[in-house]
């Protein structure tokens, strides 16, 4: 049963559990609580032997606009809960389908990438903007982008902070299917009829890839340096003051 204070909705019907981020007033941006609630809902669905598929959605204008920047995200509970949510999706025996009918930005694209399949609608687009914010994403995210969209497109997403629209997502293979929420439900019902053990095995092997390799020492040092930098602090000030940041490389 969904917590009344939760900002997600969880609905179970037959073999399918639908999880909807219900924060349209914040364009479905993620908080530590929302990440925790999504992970908890997936774990609860997994305990029910009848469940085979999870359908992830965002209510209203966006699939997920990223992290809720009104809070503190450099360290602590948000990143811990974000990592837990992403790993829970990956590790689950259930097939997780992202129904993406609006923007998926930053942590929203991470959520889309953690899913096994993506149904991408006309209004969907994708972006990971850490270079504009003076911060860094973890190695799993960098490698997952490369695995799912290809090396050349990954560079434009991560180094040039470019948007990827529905057509580009289709051409590079990131979109598993094109269509609206009806199409997502059609795919979910089809997969729910397949053999659960076979689905779980193939998902586990597909996710046994380069994305979980540890960082080399010099890469970890660079990651830590980014988060501790003056540029990261300047980007936060610029957001608060509604201006463009002035980066100095320190």
């Amino acid at each position: 049963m969904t917590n009344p204070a939760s900002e997600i909705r969880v609905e179970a019907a037959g073999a399918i559990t639908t999880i909807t981020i219900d924060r349209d007033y914040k364009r479905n941006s993620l908080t530590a609580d929302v990440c925790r609630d999504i992970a908890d809902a997936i774990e609860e669905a997994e305990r029910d032997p009848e469940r085979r598929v999870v359908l992830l959605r965002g209510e209203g204008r966006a699939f997920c606009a990223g992290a809720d920047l009104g809070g503190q995200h450099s360290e602590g509970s948000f990143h811990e809960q974000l990592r837990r949510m992403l790993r829970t999706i990956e590790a689950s025996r259930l097939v997780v389908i992202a129904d993406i009918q609006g923007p998926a930005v930053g942590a929203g694209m991470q959520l889309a990438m953690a899913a096994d399949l993506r149904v991408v609608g006309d209004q969907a687009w994708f972006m990971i903007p850490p270079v504009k914010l003076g911060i860094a994403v973890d190695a799993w995210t960098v490698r997952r982008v490369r695995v799912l969209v290809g090396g050349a497109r990954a560079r434009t997403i991560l180094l040039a902070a470019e948007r990827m629209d529905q057509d580009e997502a289709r051409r590079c293979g990131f979109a598993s299917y094109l269509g609206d929420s009806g199409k997502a439900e059609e795919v979910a019902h089809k997969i729910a009829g397949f053999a659960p053990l076979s689905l779980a095995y193939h998902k586990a092997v597909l996710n046994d890839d380069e994305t979980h390799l540890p960082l080399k020492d010099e890469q970890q040092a660079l990651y830590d340096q980014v988060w501790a930098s003056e540029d990261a602090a300047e980007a936060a000030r610029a957001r608060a003051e509604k201006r463009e940041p002035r980066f100095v490389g320190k």
Side-chain angles (χ1 to χ4, degrees):
M1 182 178 295
T2 303
N3 181 343
S6 177
E7 291 189 292
I8 69 168
R9 299 197 311 272
V10 182
E11 302 161 284
I16 300 168
T17 293
T18 301
I19 301 172
T20 304
I21 306 172
D22 193 10
R23 303 187 83 227
D24 188 35
Y25 71 103
K26 282 288 189 83
R27 298 178 65 81
N28 299 322
S29 57
L30 297 174
T31 64
D33 287 348
V34 172
C35 292
R36 181 202 62 218
D37 289 348
I38 291 171
D40 287 350
I42 291 171
E43 289 176 349
E44 182 176 349
E46 194 167 19
R47 287 191 287 271
D48 187 334
E50 292 186 10
R51 300 286 176 263
R52 299 184 184 180
V53 174
V54 170
L55 193 57
L56 279 175
R57 290 175 162 162
E59 179 66 36
R61 299 168 292 168
F63 173 69
C64 175
D68 185 344
L69 294 176
Q72 172 57 254
H73 302 301
S74 60
E75 296 293 342
S77 64
F78 175 77
H79 275 175
E80 291 166 5
Q81 293 297 336
L82 175 65
R83 283 192 292 269
R84 179 187 166 223
M85 177 187 71
L86 299 175
R87 300 299 179 259
T88 299
I89 292 169
E90 264 199 311
S92 175
R93 67 172 175 81
L94 307 173
V95 175
V96 180
I97 301 169
D99 176 15
I100 306 165
Q101 301 302 320
V105 182
M109 185 166 175
Q110 289 174 299
L111 181 58
M113 290 193 299
D116 301 299
L117 298 167
R118 285 156 292 280
V119 179
V120 179
D122 293 343
Q123 301 303 310
W125 54 268
F126 305 88
M127 186 180 185
I128 302 179
V131 295
K132 300 173 71 173
L133 303 174
I135 57 175
V137 291
D138 64 0
W140 175 88
T141 301
V142 176
R143 292 165 178 163
R144 189 81 162 185
V145 175
R146 185 171 63 200
V147 165
L148 293 177
V149 310
R153 192 72 186 106
R155 288 173 182 269
T156 63
I157 290 171
L158 291 167
L159 300 182
E162 287 190 5
R163 290 187 183 190
M164 179 172 65
D165 62 17
Q166 183 201 50
D167 185 59
E168 291 167 322
R170 175 191 60 80
R171 284 190 279 111
C172 75
F174 186 67
S176 310
Y177 301 89
L178 301 184
D180 59 13
S181 291
K183 179 65 176 179
E185 291 175 6
E186 175 189 324
V187 173
H189 280 93
K190 178 179 76 170
I191 291 174
F194 294 158
L197 293 178
S198 181
L199 289 170
Y201 163 75
H202 288 99
K203 171 173 176 169
V205 177
L206 284 166
N207 282 330
D208 182 20
D209 57 23
E210 66 180 80
T211 60
H212 295 291
L213 293 175
L215 283 173
K216 296 177 182 178
D217 289 345
E218 60 270 25
Q219 294 170 330
Q220 184 64 55
L222 280 170
Y223 178 85
D224 295 340
Q225 183 181 11
V226 170
W227 278 104
S229 69
E230 293 178 19
D231 281 348
E234 159 63 10
R237 286 193 298 269
R239 285 196 300 273
E241 296 168 7
K242 296 182 172 31
R243 60 173 174 82
E244 290 296 315
R246 295 182 289 274
F247 295 129
V248 296
K250 296 181 181 179

